[in-house]
């Protein structure tokens, strides 16, 4: 009997340790029709695979009904998860109670990852716009919040001048610059690295509350850009919730960029657990050279 108790006590003492090192991040991958991207289904396999291949995430996948379909069937139990990854780019009418439960989930400490066009989504949902920090298109303008960018003097600017929210020039390969090297997602990454050909989102607008800009890219007028250093990777705190927002990833080609993959994996781990244990891979891009890993289905 004594031995039985000793074993039970040992197990109880070891439990927090097991949970910390071994428990996978329970993740809900959300997709659905994308207003601005007819090719959105191409994104799903790589985005799911990049998470599961790390061994850190346990994934479930739910698709949101498109407008015209029965939205009442969309009712995920968000509380079951640690993390939600969304590529939804739509103004689909999530039911008010679903929106409320989503807000409560994030506010009480849930994680959220927003990839590329997911920051075009829900322009008229104020709480969603607080979660993503900055967004674009869908009629966004000065009513939604400031432009946020780094100027040429290296200062972070919040700019309230009137104008559209959301633009990108011609797709091209561009350099990403780390702005917060001590943030767990960025720690160990080079200060600058080359990203593969992609849309460089710029002139996004939003509440930008409790938002950290982890990395920027210079939107050169040569490609129709804003001439500003635009936020590329951001984190936002919403209540107790952690949000990682990457504007990268327009095409599957852009998604195979190792800079995209690494920051997505580490950003998701941080949003879902508050920590980053995933290492910086040896094929991480150099400041002037793109590095890609072809994706195999
Ligand atoms: Zn795009």
């Amino acid at each position: 009997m004594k031995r039985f108790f000793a074993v039970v006590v040992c197990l109880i003492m070891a439990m927090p340790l097991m949970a910390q090192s071994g428990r996978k991040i329970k993740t809900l991958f959300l997709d659905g029709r994308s207003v601005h991207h007819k090719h959105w289904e191409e994104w799903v396999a790589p985005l799911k695979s990049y998470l599961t291949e790390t061994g850190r995430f346990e994934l479930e996948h739910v698709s949101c009904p498109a407008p015209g379909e029965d939205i009442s069937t969309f009712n995920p139990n968000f509380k079951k998860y640690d993390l939600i990854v969304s590529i939804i780019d739509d103004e689909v009418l999530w039911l008010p109670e679903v929106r409320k439960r989503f807000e409560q989930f994030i506010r009480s400490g849930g994680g959220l990852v927003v990839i590329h066009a997911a920051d075009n989504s829900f322009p008229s949902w104020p709480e969603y716009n607080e979660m993503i920090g900055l967004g674009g298109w869908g009629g966004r303008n000065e009513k939604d919040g400031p432009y946020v960018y780094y100027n040429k003097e290296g200062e972070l600017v919040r700019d309230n001048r009137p104008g559209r929210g959301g633009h990108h020039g011609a797709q091209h390969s561009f350099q990403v610059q780390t702005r917060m090297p001590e943030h767990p997602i960025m720690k160990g990454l080079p200060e600058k690295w080359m990203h593969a050909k992609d849309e460089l989102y710029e002139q996004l607008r939003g509440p930008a509350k409790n938002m950290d800009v982890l990395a920027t890219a210079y939107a050169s007028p040569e490609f129709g850009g804003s001439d500003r250093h635009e936020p590329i990777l951001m984190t936002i705190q919403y209540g107790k919730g952690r949000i990682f927002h990457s504007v990268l990833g327009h095409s599957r080609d852009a998604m195979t960029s190792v800079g995209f993959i690494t920051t997505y994996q580490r950003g998701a781990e941080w949003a879902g657990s508050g920590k980053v244990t995933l290492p910086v891979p040896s094929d991480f891009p150099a400041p002037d050279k793109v590095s890609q890993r072809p994706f195999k289905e």
Side-chain angles (χ1 to χ4, degrees), residues 148-268:
V148 178
Y149 54 89
Y150 273 83
N151 64 17
K152 286 183 178 146
E153 288 69 46
E155 299 155 335
L156 186 65
V157 178
R158 293 170 72 94
D159 182 344
N160 289 303
R161 84 182 73 174
R164 68 180 169 192
H167 178 256
H168 62 77
Q171 289 186 52
H172 62 291
S173 178
F174 51 86
Q175 194 179 55
V176 178
Q177 181 176 359
T178 298
R179 298 288 180 171
M180 294 187 70
E182 292 306 312
H183 191 283
I185 297 170
M186 307 308 284
K187 205 154 177 135
L189 265 58
E191 191 206 343
K192 294 178 178 176
W193 78 87
M194 250 350 231
H195 177 54
K197 184 179 169 187
D198 201 346
E199 288 175 347
L200 202 174
Y201 273 12
E202 48 164 75
Q203 300 175 57
L204 301 179
R205 308 194 75 135
K209 284 188 205 165
N210 306 315
M211 183 179 89
D212 284 327
V213 178
L214 305 187
T216 57
Y218 174 61
S220 170
E222 190 189 333
F223 298 98
S226 63
D227 199 26
R228 299 167 181 169
H229 293 265
E230 298 280 355
I232 292 297
L233 306 175
M234 293 155 261
T235 57
I236 300 97
Q237 194 181 334
Y238 177 86
K240 290 184 191 157
R242 288 176 300 270
I243 295 104
F244 172 68
H245 177 173
S246 172
V247 306
L248 303 175
H250 170 75
S251 64
R252 187 174 270 200
D253 196 37
M255 282 183 174
T256 62
S257 181
V258 177
F260 172 82
I261 299 169
T262 306
T263 51
Y264 167 59
Q265 291 170 327
R266 288 164 62 107

